[in-house]
Amino acid sequence: MKTIIEPFKIKSVEPIKFTTREERIEILKKAGYNPFMIPAEEVIIDLLTDSGTSAMSSKQWSGIMDGDESYAGARSYYRFEKVVKELTGFKHIIPTHQGRAAEKILFSIFGGNGKFIPNNTHFDTTRANIEYSGAVAVDLPCKEGNDPDLIADFKGNIDLNMLDNFIKSNKNNVPLVMLTITNNSNGGQPVSMENIRETKRICSQYNIPFFLDACRFAENAYFIKLREPGYQGKSVREIAQEMFSYADGCTMSAKKDALVNMGGFLALNDDDIALKARNILVVTEGFPTYGGLAGRDLEAIAQGLNEVLDENYLKYRIRTVEYTGQKLINSGVPILVPPGGHAIYLNAKKFAPHIPPENFPGHSIVCELYIHAGIRAVEIGSVMFGKYDKETGKHIPPKMELVRLALPRRVYTQSHMDYVIEAIIEIYNKRENLKGYKFTYEPPILRHFLAKFEPIV
Ligand SMILES: *Cc1c(COP(=O)(O)O)cnc(C)c1O
């Protein structure tokens, strides 16, 4: 059979509230034209993020009922620990309330003034935790990763030559190297096994610990199976295990590939570092056998980590993103190619070339997606990352103007995606009608969350 179907049946449903175009125009206006300010109930298809938005399975929900809420040594912790150990091979498994809590602990130990932490591309929270410690977060993406129009298999890779040179010239000040799999901030693009192996080789040469930011390890492993020579005959679990085998530890947000709504962990091999980490954990998160989570959360994570490696699930997951991307490409809609693991990124510079960066072309598309079809997406461009020249006050745009449509896991069906595709194509076909926006309130930091706008008429 050629048709790929959702590999699950739906046992419990949540109704979608439908709104009219007129209603949405009012709702968006009331939200100050900021999609973060729209009540989720007023959204028809919510593609704001894939983080913590997964649908859990009936087995995960039964694990929730079965969770052991003992303070110390809960049965649910041991199940969680066993599953994470089997998957990652790491010796110490430390639960945290989400991914950034694991990062906070890791960089409290490895960060500090004068230190540099290289990565293929740091995710925002990783960067923030590194900078908060006083260290510098360094992005070293491969060349292909910088070109939104170039089709390549592993655009998430780190540039190995740059990494080697960087370590050489900052030898005693690189306490740790990271790789983010898949590379979230760079289009959800995968990292090859060869790149992981070579990163490890370089780190070993300089005796530097190597950690994975493993939020989307299963999606990354599946891309390796599809694209990297020599891996077609291996199971995704074997591929994931090999990826982890090269690392000395990992941070993980369970809100992604553990298919739960909250949770995370830090896992590592070194006994001394683990002891330090657990000492921070008891102050900031909780006792080492629950670390900021309830027993039921640990049950749901353990179950989710097994379910995410089901190859029928991954085939459906990756194919959904690819299917959406392909339909858009076929209609001429400019997107970042190839589609990655968890999201479609519209290239707003090409989509709305008549709107200059300082009038937020990506934001304009986001607003129109909501008005036209009740779809919520997020701008990743001048609103989020624009800066001002200190002397002239002129707007300095980031490299790319993107709109991200992130796909929650197991939440939407193919017809939901067909609706999204239709809406984007209709907006694209009338793109000359898109209007620019300007701030009516501009917050001093992380301005995309609380900003207010108005359309330029
Ligand atoms: C989401 C994410 C994090 C942070 O995890 P939270 O659970 O949101 O704290 C870190 N790294 C990457 C790559 C992520 O996608």
Side-chain angles (χ1 to χ4, degrees):
M1 288 294 300
K2 280 206 274 309
T3 308
I4 296 168
I5 59 172
E6 287 84 6
F8 47 80
K9 297 184 285 181
I10 297 166
K11 192 188 287 261
S12 175
V13 298
E14 186 179 345
I16 290 173
K17 180 180 159 190
F18 285 88
T19 45
T20 64
R21 183 183 179 89
E22 286 67 39
E23 286 167 342
R24 290 193 294 271
I25 288 172
E26 279 313 303
I27 292 164
L28 187 64
K29 196 171 165 190
K30 217 172 126 194
Y33 296 93
N34 182 343
F36 282 99
M37 298 296 199
I38 300 171
E41 221 190 354
E42 309 292 354
V43 175
I44 295 176
I45 306 273
D46 203 344
L47 306 182
L48 190 66
T49 178
D50 67 321
S51 178
T53 51
S54 301
M56 290 206 292
S57 67
S58 50
K59 286 230 170 83
Q60 285 178 296
W61 280 110
S62 60
I64 293 267
M65 276 309 291
D66 199 36
D68 176 359
E69 304 303 341
S70 306
Y71 189 94
R75 180 185 70 240
S76 298
Y77 171 74
Y78 293 114
R79 178 171 179 219
F80 161 82
E81 185 194 37
K82 182 164 177 280
V83 168
V84 179
K85 269 192 180 171
E86 274 170 12
L87 169 65
T88 65
F90 298 130
K91 191 170 166 196
H92 301 282
I93 313 299
I94 300 168
T96 58
H97 79 274
Q98 61 185 101
R100 68 196 70 184
E103 294 167 351
K104 167 85 178 134
I105 293 171
L106 186 66
F107 296 111
S108 303
I109 299 169
F110 283 99
N113 289 330
K115 301 280 198 307
F116 298 89
I117 316 281
N119 198 331
N120 46 358
T121 313
H122 288 282
F123 181 68
D124 332 4
T125 61
T126 323
R127 172 175 289 281
N129 274 301
I130 290 168
E131 290 174 352
Y132 187 77
S133 81
V136 179
V138 183
D139 291 339
L140 303 172
C142 67
K143 264 203 284 326
E144 296 84 4
N146 288 323
D147 182 349
D149 300 319
L150 180 93
I151 295 187
D153 285 339
F154 293 104
K155 287 171 80 173
N157 283 353
I158 197 167
D159 189 314
L160 294 165
N161 282 331
M162 283 170 74
L163 176 65
D164 196 22
N165 290 335
F166 188 86
I167 297 174
K168 254 192 217 119
S169 38
N170 296 281
K171 211 171 201 162
N172 300 318
N173 294 317
V174 180
L176 185 103
V177 171
M178 273 195 125
L179 271 184
T180 305
I181 56 170
T182 57
N183 193 338
N184 182 10
S185 302
N186 214 0
Q189 299 291 320
V191 177
S192 72
M193 191 72 86
E194 187 190 3
N195 198 251
I196 298 174
R197 199 185 300 123
E198 286 299 298
T199 302
K200 170 63 183 176
R201 191 184 57 73
I202 293 171
C203 289
S204 303
Q205 210 177 308
Y206 299 99
N207 215 0
I208 297 172
F210 166 43
F211 272 60
L212 293 173
D213 177 341
C215 298
R216 297 178 182 77
F217 73 94
E219 290 169 9
N220 199 88
Y222 191 67
F223 276 117
I224 289 175
K225 180 169 172 124
L226 290 181
R227 296 179 181 176
E228 191 158 347
Y231 287 94
Q232 283 64 45
K234 296 219 158 111
S235 72
V236 176
R237 178 180 291 277
E238 287 168 331
I239 295 171
Q241 284 166 335
E242 184 181 338
M243 288 169 10
F244 285 114
S245 75
Y246 298 120
D248 300 296
C250 74
T251 55
M252 171 83 188
S253 169
K255 299 171 73 172
K256 287 53 174 264
D257 270 352
L259 300 173
V260 296
N261 307 116
M262 189 50 76
F265 57 84
L266 173 65
L268 49 89
N269 284 331
D270 187 282
D271 295 339
D272 293 338
I273 302 292
L275 188 61
K276 278 188 192 158
R278 288 194 171 108
N279 273 308
I280 300 170
L281 187 83
V282 291
V283 179
T284 59
E285 293 283 296
F287 188 72
T289 62
Y290 72 85
L293 293 169
R296 53 180 170 270
D297 297 325
L298 296 167
E299 285 286 339
I301 294 171
Q303 180 62 28
L305 285 173
N306 285 332
E307 289 178 10
V308 80
L309 291 168
D310 172 2
E311 298 190 18
N312 287 321
Y313 160 75
L314 285 164
K315 183 177 182 184
Y316 139 81
R317 169 79 179 157
I318 300 303
R319 179 61 192 148
T320 304
V321 182
E322 184 186 50
Y323 166 88
T324 307
Q326 201 54 53
K327 291 250 165 157
L328 294 174
I329 292 167
N330 291 350
S331 295
V333 178
I335 67 166
L336 192 149
V337 290
H342 68 288
I344 292 289
Y345 294 75
L346 305 177
N347 184 342
K349 250 188 220 175
K350 291 194 173 170
F351 197 116
H354 60 289
I355 303 176
E358 61 269 27
N359 296 135
F360 312 132
H363 186 73
S364 172
I365 298 168
V366 167
C367 288
E368 191 54 29
L369 271 167
Y370 181 71
I371 291 173
H372 190 71
I375 297 164
R376 178 153 67 173
V378 65
E379 191 256 19
I380 302 185
S382 280
V383 174
M384 201 179 269
F385 295 124
K387 295 197 170 91
Y388 297 104
D389 186 299
K390 280 204 183 81
E391 273 153 33
T392 63
K394 240 187 97 181
H395 177 252
I396 309 169
K399 263 193 301 216
M400 294 195 245
E401 301 286 342
L402 301 173
V403 171
R404 186 184 77 179
L405 300 120
L407 272 61
R409 293 169 180 78
R410 305 193 293 206
V411 171
Y412 295 118
T413 63
Q414 182 171 344
S415 58
H416 289 121
M417 295 319 297
D418 284 334
Y419 175 90
V420 171
I421 293 161
E422 182 183 340
I424 296 171
I425 293 171
E426 283 179 0
I427 294 169
Y428 183 66
N429 289 341
K430 293 185 186 157
R431 58 192 178 279
E432 64 282 355
N433 295 342
L434 290 167
K435 301 241 173 354
Y437 281 78
K438 62 179 184 211
F439 284 122
T440 56
Y441 167 63
E442 183 182 349
I445 45 162
L446 293 175
R447 57 191 193 177
H448 51 288
F449 289 125
L450 299 176
K452 289 187 188 321
F453 303 85
E454 66 185 17
I456 298 169
V457 282

